[in-house]
Amino acid sequence: MPRKPLIAANWKMHKTPAESIAFVEAFLPLVADDRRSDIVVCPPTISLSLVADALVGSNVAAGAKNMHYAEEGAFTGETSAAMLIAVGATYAILGHSERRQYFNETDETVNKKLHTALRHKLLPIVCVGELLSERESGSTGDVLVRQVSGALADIAPEQAAPIAIAYEPIWAIGTGKTATPEMAAQAHLLIRSEVARRLGRESADQMRILYGGSVKPENAASLLNQPEIDGALVGGASLKADSFAQIVKY
Ligand code: PGA
């Protein structure tokens, strides 16, 4: 079974509710006939409910960009899986490098979040990726294996199907520098072999591994046509409806 591409927009901390809705209104007609990929937009939490409502009946899903691992409790400022689902989220990005860098997320918290997301049937997009210094010192492989195995700790093979992994080299995020398709494919192969080691070949062959890091309309096809690359997590170029639509239609 070929893996269906998954193209996700990560708006980060951009767009008010009104701007989010304006995007949806402009974007939906541009991709209405696309059946090739699963398409997701991940707006700021405050706009999630509105965006999810505006997407009902369309071929585009709504996702969260973060989620707490606890069911509920004294975690000021956080959002639970049940809350996200209640407002219409079906996906959740977990462990984005900006969360790891600025909000102290670790492989351990990402793993807890993954367990919670799966329990709630939220479709997780787990982010991994190396720093420039790690790539330059030749430790990319070690970093990816550590992050993938950390995220997947105590996940059973029968739980694996909903999980997607996004390979996002940190040096390529928001920098305009993109991993070459060959570099990305090599990292994806390594990630897939670590998934196979932990969860078995069948789970690894089914798992979607997305690339993220300065994906743009101009480079989307060369990346997404790599057999190892099963989709894209798009930041900057997902903020405009026409540019994200061009990526979807690579
Ligand atoms: P970028 O961000 O496309 O702006 O590089 C990607 C991401 O951080 O998910």
Side-chain angles (χ1 to χ4, degrees):
M1 270 274 285
R3 297 179 291 263
K4 189 175 186 186
L6 169 58
I7 316 279
N10 171 12
W11 289 352
K12 310 194 177 188
M13 198 170 75
H14 292 285
K15 295 192 189 297
T16 62
E19 289 163 348
S20 302
I21 289 301
F23 175 103
V24 171
E25 284 169 359
F27 179 65
L28 284 183
L30 301 177
V31 298
D33 55 2
D34 186 275
R35 294 287 173 272
R36 173 175 56 176
S37 306
D38 289 330
I39 310 168
V40 189
V41 294
C42 302
T45 312
I46 199 158
S47 303
L48 195 48
S49 175
L50 268 177
V51 167
D53 286 352
L55 293 174
V56 167
S58 78
N59 56 335
V60 180
K65 293 186 272 72
N66 182 31
M67 181 205 86
H68 199 272
Y69 51 78
E71 292 301 319
E72 61 179 2
F75 300 103
T76 301
E78 293 292 318
T79 311
S80 73
M83 294 170 193
L84 296 172
I85 288 172
V87 297
T90 49
Y91 286 80
I93 300 172
L94 303 178
H96 188 277
S97 62
E98 286 147 20
R99 301 288 322 162
R100 295 177 190 253
Q101 188 180 352
Y102 304 122
F103 303 98
N104 303 320
E105 290 202 18
T106 61
D107 293 334
E108 196 189 346
T109 55
V110 174
N111 173 249
K112 287 186 183 177
K113 290 177 180 209
L114 181 58
H115 280 275
T116 303
L118 292 172
R119 207 162 51 240
H120 285 269
K121 303 204 173 355
L122 264 175
L123 302 170
I125 302 173
V126 177
C127 301
V128 298
E130 80 286 0
L131 295 161
L132 183 59
S133 57
E134 292 166 336
R135 176 156 287 268
E136 286 175 346
S137 68
S139 52
T140 298
D142 293 342
V143 171
L144 295 179
V145 165
R146 190 198 75 225
Q147 292 178 336
V148 171
S149 65
L152 296 178
D154 299 319
I155 298 290
E158 55 276 16
Q159 292 177 285
I163 304 172
I165 293 179
Y167 168 60
E168 298 207 305
I170 293 165
W171 49 269
I173 294 179
T175 57
K177 285 188 203 148
T178 319
T180 62
E182 296 72 25
M183 255 165 146
Q186 199 180 21
H188 285 217
L189 269 175
L190 199 140
I191 292 168
R192 203 176 297 287
S193 68
E194 180 58 20
V195 174
R197 201 177 67 75
R198 295 201 70 94
L199 299 176
R201 191 73 250 171
E202 199 186 334
S203 298
D205 286 342
Q206 285 169 2
M207 191 169 290
R208 293 189 286 193
I209 304 179
L210 322 184
Y211 170 78
S214 298
V215 176
K216 299 186 270 291
E218 304 81 65
N219 60 23
S222 63
L223 289 159
L224 288 159
N225 284 328
Q226 292 282 326
E228 266 305 313
I229 301 183
D230 309 316
L233 182 54
V234 187
S238 75
L239 292 171
K240 291 218 164 73
D242 58 344
S243 101
F244 189 50
Q246 283 177 53
I247 293 171
V248 168
K249 295 180 178 166
Y250 68 90

mmCIF file of all heavy atoms in Angstrom, residues 160-193:
data_model
loop_
_atom_site.group_PDB
_atom_site.id
_atom_site.type_symbol
_atom_site.label_atom_id
_atom_site.label_comp_id
_atom_site.label_asym_id
_atom_site.label_seq_id
_atom_site.Cartn_x
_atom_site.Cartn_y
_atom_site.Cartn_z
ATOM 1 N N ALA A 160 0.801 1.895 16.299
ATOM 2 C CA ALA A 160 1.653 2.748 15.470
ATOM 3 C C ALA A 160 0.927 3.416 14.294
ATOM 4 O O ALA A 160 1.341 4.482 13.838
ATOM 5 C CB ALA A 160 2.836 1.939 14.944
ATOM 6 N N ALA A 161 -0.141 2.798 13.795
ATOM 7 C CA ALA A 161 -0.727 3.240 12.523
ATOM 8 C C ALA A 161 -1.047 4.744 12.446
ATOM 9 O O ALA A 161 -0.803 5.371 11.415
ATOM 10 C CB ALA A 161 -1.957 2.401 12.194
ATOM 11 N N PRO A 162 -1.597 5.357 13.509
ATOM 12 C CA PRO A 162 -1.954 6.788 13.352
ATOM 13 C C PRO A 162 -0.764 7.741 13.409
ATOM 14 O O PRO A 162 -0.928 8.927 13.121
ATOM 15 C CB PRO A 162 -2.868 7.049 14.567
ATOM 16 C CG PRO A 162 -3.060 5.753 15.262
ATOM 17 C CD PRO A 162 -1.996 4.825 14.802
ATOM 18 N N ILE A 163 0.406 7.246 13.794
ATOM 19 C CA ILE A 163 1.537 8.157 14.062
ATOM 20 C C ILE A 163 2.212 8.581 12.762
ATOM 21 O O ILE A 163 2.490 7.759 11.890
ATOM 22 C CB ILE A 163 2.591 7.469 14.963
ATOM 23 C CG1 ILE A 163 1.971 6.979 16.270
ATOM 24 C CG2 ILE A 163 3.776 8.414 15.243
ATOM 25 C CD1 ILE A 163 2.914 6.127 17.132
ATOM 26 N N ALA A 164 2.481 9.888 12.642
ATOM 27 C CA ALA A 164 3.371 10.397 11.592
ATOM 28 C C ALA A 164 4.567 11.043 12.284
ATOM 29 O O ALA A 164 4.439 11.557 13.389
ATOM 30 C CB ALA A 164 2.648 11.419 10.723
ATOM 31 N N ILE A 165 5.704 10.971 11.637
ATOM 32 C CA ILE A 165 6.901 11.642 12.159
ATOM 33 C C ILE A 165 7.268 12.735 11.168
ATOM 34 O O ILE A 165 7.174 12.535 9.955
ATOM 35 C CB ILE A 165 8.060 10.631 12.331
ATOM 36 C CG1 ILE A 165 7.711 9.635 13.447
ATOM 37 C CG2 ILE A 165 9.380 11.348 12.647
ATOM 38 C CD1 ILE A 165 8.767 8.572 13.705
ATOM 39 N N ALA A 166 7.652 13.904 11.686
ATOM 40 C CA ALA A 166 8.135 14.970 10.799
ATOM 41 C C ALA A 166 9.625 15.160 11.050
ATOM 42 O O ALA A 166 10.022 15.453 12.186
ATOM 43 C CB ALA A 166 7.384 16.270 11.058
ATOM 44 N N TYR A 167 10.422 14.952 10.008
ATOM 45 C CA TYR A 167 11.851 15.244 10.107
ATOM 46 C C TYR A 167 12.057 16.710 9.764
ATOM 47 O O TYR A 167 11.802 17.129 8.632
ATOM 48 C CB TYR A 167 12.654 14.351 9.152
ATOM 49 C CG TYR A 167 14.092 14.825 9.030
ATOM 50 C CD1 TYR A 167 14.914 14.892 10.156
ATOM 51 C CD2 TYR A 167 14.619 15.230 7.812
ATOM 52 C CE1 TYR A 167 16.219 15.362 10.061
ATOM 53 C CE2 TYR A 167 15.919 15.689 7.703
ATOM 54 C CZ TYR A 167 16.717 15.757 8.848
ATOM 55 O OH TYR A 167 17.998 16.227 8.750
ATOM 56 N N GLU A 168 12.465 17.489 10.765
ATOM 57 C CA GLU A 168 12.666 18.922 10.563
ATOM 58 C C GLU A 168 14.059 19.311 11.043
ATOM 59 O O GLU A 168 14.239 19.608 12.241
ATOM 60 C CB GLU A 168 11.613 19.721 11.337
ATOM 61 C CG GLU A 168 10.199 19.436 10.891
ATOM 62 C CD GLU A 168 9.287 20.626 11.162
ATOM 63 O OE1 GLU A 168 9.225 21.081 12.322
ATOM 64 O OE2 GLU A 168 8.651 21.097 10.210
ATOM 65 N N PRO A 169 15.050 19.309 10.146
ATOM 66 C CA PRO A 169 16.371 19.754 10.568
ATOM 67 C C PRO A 169 16.282 21.205 11.032
ATOM 68 O O PRO A 169 15.752 22.057 10.308
ATOM 69 C CB PRO A 169 17.226 19.606 9.300
ATOM 70 C CG PRO A 169 16.270 19.476 8.159
ATOM 71 C CD PRO A 169 14.971 18.984 8.708
ATOM 72 N N ILE A 170 16.746 21.467 12.248
ATOM 73 C CA ILE A 170 16.503 22.775 12.864
ATOM 74 C C ILE A 170 17.161 23.900 12.065
ATOM 75 O O ILE A 170 16.619 25.001 11.957
ATOM 76 C CB ILE A 170 16.969 22.749 14.340
ATOM 77 C CG1 ILE A 170 16.049 21.798 15.115
ATOM 78 C CG2 ILE A 170 16.941 24.145 14.979
ATOM 79 C CD1 ILE A 170 16.571 21.385 16.466
ATOM 80 N N TRP A 171 18.279 23.587 11.448
ATOM 81 C CA TRP A 171 18.986 24.594 10.653
ATOM 82 C C TRP A 171 18.223 24.964 9.379
ATOM 83 O O TRP A 171 18.564 25.953 8.725
ATOM 84 C CB TRP A 171 20.401 24.094 10.315
ATOM 85 C CG TRP A 171 20.424 22.696 9.763
ATOM 86 C CD1 TRP A 171 20.560 21.546 10.481
ATOM 87 C CD2 TRP A 171 20.287 22.301 8.403
ATOM 88 N NE1 TRP A 171 20.500 20.451 9.659
ATOM 89 C CE2 TRP A 171 20.341 20.894 8.364
ATOM 90 C CE3 TRP A 171 20.127 22.998 7.197
ATOM 91 C CZ2 TRP A 171 20.234 20.167 7.183
ATOM 92 C CZ3 TRP A 171 20.021 22.273 6.023
ATOM 93 C CH2 TRP A 171 20.070 20.871 6.026
ATOM 94 N N ALA A 172 17.197 24.211 9.044
ATOM 95 C CA ALA A 172 16.425 24.507 7.832
ATOM 96 C C ALA A 172 15.099 25.194 8.148
ATOM 97 O O ALA A 172 14.383 25.609 7.243
ATOM 98 C CB ALA A 172 16.162 23.214 7.058
ATOM 99 N N ILE A 173 14.770 25.331 9.434
ATOM 100 C CA ILE A 173 13.463 25.890 9.793
ATOM 101 C C ILE A 173 13.510 27.411 9.760
ATOM 102 O O ILE A 173 14.291 28.028 10.490
ATOM 103 C CB ILE A 173 13.020 25.410 11.191
ATOM 104 C CG1 ILE A 173 12.769 23.889 11.158
ATOM 105 C CG2 ILE A 173 11.753 26.145 11.632
ATOM 106 C CD1 ILE A 173 12.346 23.310 12.483
ATOM 107 N N GLY A 174 12.701 27.979 8.907
ATOM 108 C CA GLY A 174 12.576 29.436 8.847
ATOM 109 C C GLY A 174 13.825 30.141 8.343
ATOM 110 O O GLY A 174 13.926 31.361 8.429
ATOM 111 N N THR A 175 14.768 29.389 7.819
ATOM 112 C CA THR A 175 16.047 29.983 7.422
ATOM 113 C C THR A 175 16.160 30.153 5.915
ATOM 114 O O THR A 175 17.086 30.799 5.439
ATOM 115 C CB THR A 175 17.213 29.073 7.857
ATOM 116 O OG1 THR A 175 17.012 27.779 7.266
ATOM 117 C CG2 THR A 175 17.286 28.954 9.366
ATOM 118 N N GLY A 176 15.250 29.537 5.171
ATOM 119 C CA GLY A 176 15.376 29.540 3.718
ATOM 120 C C GLY A 176 16.336 28.463 3.235
ATOM 121 O O GLY A 176 16.418 28.187 2.045
ATOM 122 N N LYS A 177 17.068 27.839 4.167
ATOM 123 C CA LYS A 177 17.948 26.725 3.782
ATOM 124 C C LYS A 177 17.130 25.442 3.833
ATOM 125 O O LYS A 177 16.472 25.170 4.837
ATOM 126 C CB LYS A 177 19.088 26.559 4.793
ATOM 127 C CG LYS A 177 20.155 27.586 4.703
ATOM 128 C CD LYS A 177 21.293 27.180 5.632
ATOM 129 C CE LYS A 177 22.092 28.395 6.008
ATOM 130 N NZ LYS A 177 22.662 28.328 7.342
ATOM 131 N N THR A 178 17.168 24.670 2.778
ATOM 132 C CA THR A 178 16.410 23.423 2.768
ATOM 133 C C THR A 178 17.394 22.276 2.700
ATOM 134 O O THR A 178 18.418 22.384 2.023
ATOM 135 C CB THR A 178 15.519 23.342 1.515
ATOM 136 O OG1 THR A 178 14.952 24.622 1.306
ATOM 137 C CG2 THR A 178 14.417 22.339 1.672
ATOM 138 N N ALA A 179 17.078 21.187 3.368
ATOM 139 C CA ALA A 179 17.867 19.976 3.151
ATOM 140 C C ALA A 179 17.692 19.590 1.686
ATOM 141 O O ALA A 179 16.601 19.759 1.132
ATOM 142 C CB ALA A 179 17.370 18.866 4.065
ATOM 143 N N THR A 180 18.733 19.102 1.036
ATOM 144 C CA THR A 180 18.540 18.615 -0.332
ATOM 145 C C THR A 180 17.608 17.403 -0.256
ATOM 146 O O THR A 180 17.541 16.742 0.793
ATOM 147 C CB THR A 180 19.868 18.184 -0.973
ATOM 148 O OG1 THR A 180 20.397 17.092 -0.208
ATOM 149 C CG2 THR A 180 20.879 19.328 -1.017
ATOM 150 N N PRO A 181 16.903 17.117 -1.342
ATOM 151 C CA PRO A 181 16.020 15.945 -1.302
ATOM 152 C C PRO A 181 16.779 14.679 -0.903
ATOM 153 O O PRO A 181 16.263 13.840 -0.164
ATOM 154 C CB PRO A 181 15.513 15.841 -2.745
ATOM 155 C CG PRO A 181 15.566 17.251 -3.257
ATOM 156 C CD PRO A 181 16.766 17.880 -2.593
ATOM 157 N N GLU A 182 18.037 14.583 -1.319
ATOM 158 C CA GLU A 182 18.826 13.386 -0.988
ATOM 159 C C GLU A 182 19.147 13.341 0.508
ATOM 160 O O GLU A 182 19.067 12.288 1.142
ATOM 161 C CB GLU A 182 20.126 13.349 -1.801
ATOM 162 C CG GLU A 182 19.933 13.211 -3.303
ATOM 163 C CD GLU A 182 19.398 14.483 -3.981
ATOM 164 O OE1 GLU A 182 19.614 15.595 -3.431
ATOM 165 O OE2 GLU A 182 18.749 14.354 -5.041
ATOM 166 N N MET A 183 19.502 14.510 1.060
ATOM 167 C CA MET A 183 19.795 14.582 2.501
ATOM 168 C C MET A 183 18.565 14.190 3.317
ATOM 169 O O MET A 183 18.650 13.444 4.287
ATOM 170 C CB MET A 183 20.095 16.050 2.876
ATOM 171 C CG MET A 183 21.485 16.425 3.122
ATOM 172 S SD MET A 183 21.415 18.245 3.076
ATOM 173 C CE MET A 183 22.615 18.603 4.252
ATOM 174 N N ALA A 184 17.423 14.757 2.906
ATOM 175 C CA ALA A 184 16.186 14.469 3.624
ATOM 176 C C ALA A 184 15.857 12.985 3.509
ATOM 177 O O ALA A 184 15.548 12.330 4.507
ATOM 178 C CB ALA A 184 15.039 15.319 3.075
ATOM 179 N N ALA A 185 15.991 12.438 2.295
ATOM 180 C CA ALA A 185 15.651 11.026 2.090
ATOM 181 C C ALA A 185 16.539 10.136 2.954
ATOM 182 O O ALA A 185 16.078 9.137 3.529
ATOM 183 C CB ALA A 185 15.783 10.658 0.616
ATOM 184 N N GLN A 186 17.806 10.516 3.088
ATOM 185 C CA GLN A 186 18.729 9.727 3.903
ATOM 186 C C GLN A 186 18.300 9.744 5.382
ATOM 187 O O GLN A 186 18.282 8.706 6.046
ATOM 188 C CB GLN A 186 20.121 10.344 3.763
ATOM 189 C CG GLN A 186 21.237 9.432 4.148
ATOM 190 C CD GLN A 186 22.578 10.151 3.978
ATOM 191 O OE1 GLN A 186 22.648 11.392 3.944
ATOM 192 N NE2 GLN A 186 23.634 9.381 3.877
ATOM 193 N N ALA A 187 17.914 10.932 5.865
ATOM 194 C CA ALA A 187 17.442 11.031 7.257
ATOM 195 C C ALA A 187 16.153 10.224 7.430
ATOM 196 O O ALA A 187 15.964 9.541 8.444
ATOM 197 C CB ALA A 187 17.215 12.490 7.631
ATOM 198 N N HIS A 188 15.279 10.266 6.425
ATOM 199 C CA HIS A 188 14.014 9.531 6.526
ATOM 200 C C HIS A 188 14.261 8.027 6.586
ATOM 201 O O HIS A 188 13.602 7.314 7.345
ATOM 202 C CB HIS A 188 13.103 9.877 5.338
ATOM 203 C CG HIS A 188 12.478 11.225 5.467
ATOM 204 N ND1 HIS A 188 11.192 11.502 5.059
ATOM 205 C CD2 HIS A 188 12.957 12.380 5.979
ATOM 206 C CE1 HIS A 188 10.910 12.785 5.310
ATOM 207 N NE2 HIS A 188 11.978 13.327 5.853
ATOM 208 N N LEU A 189 15.219 7.565 5.805
ATOM 209 C CA LEU A 189 15.558 6.126 5.816
ATOM 210 C C LEU A 189 16.030 5.713 7.199
ATOM 211 O O LEU A 189 15.648 4.651 7.713
ATOM 212 C CB LEU A 189 16.678 5.850 4.812
ATOM 213 C CG LEU A 189 16.248 5.479 3.401
ATOM 214 C CD1 LEU A 189 17.483 5.354 2.507
ATOM 215 C CD2 LEU A 189 15.472 4.160 3.413
ATOM 216 N N LEU A 190 16.844 6.585 7.782
ATOM 217 C CA LEU A 190 17.380 6.280 9.105
ATOM 218 C C LEU A 190 16.255 6.246 10.147
ATOM 219 O O LEU A 190 16.192 5.366 10.994
ATOM 220 C CB LEU A 190 18.380 7.383 9.434
ATOM 221 C CG LEU A 190 19.379 7.108 10.514
ATOM 222 C CD1 LEU A 190 20.708 7.694 10.055
ATOM 223 C CD2 LEU A 190 18.961 7.739 11.809
ATOM 224 N N ILE A 191 15.350 7.223 10.044
ATOM 225 C CA ILE A 191 14.205 7.266 10.972
ATOM 226 C C ILE A 191 13.356 6.010 10.787
ATOM 227 O O ILE A 191 12.954 5.351 11.738
ATOM 228 C CB ILE A 191 13.375 8.551 10.741
ATOM 229 C CG1 ILE A 191 14.181 9.775 11.179
ATOM 230 C CG2 ILE A 191 12.027 8.479 11.449
ATOM 231 C CD1 ILE A 191 13.598 11.113 10.734
ATOM 232 N N ARG A 192 13.119 5.655 9.514
ATOM 233 C CA ARG A 192 12.277 4.477 9.260
ATOM 234 C C ARG A 192 12.940 3.212 9.795
ATOM 235 O O ARG A 192 12.271 2.315 10.300
ATOM 236 C CB ARG A 192 11.967 4.356 7.758
ATOM 237 C CG ARG A 192 10.708 3.544 7.486
ATOM 238 C CD ARG A 192 10.325 3.489 6.006
ATOM 239 N NE ARG A 192 10.004 4.767 5.404
ATOM 240 C CZ ARG A 192 8.888 5.469 5.623
ATOM 241 N NH1 ARG A 192 7.963 4.998 6.419
ATOM 242 N NH2 ARG A 192 8.691 6.637 5.034
ATOM 243 N N SER A 193 14.262 3.131 9.711
ATOM 244 C CA SER A 193 14.889 1.909 10.206
ATOM 245 C C SER A 193 14.829 1.869 11.740
ATOM 246 O O SER A 193 14.699 0.792 12.320
ATOM 247 C CB SER A 193 16.305 1.719 9.661
ATOM 248 O OG SER A 193 17.141 2.686 10.190
#
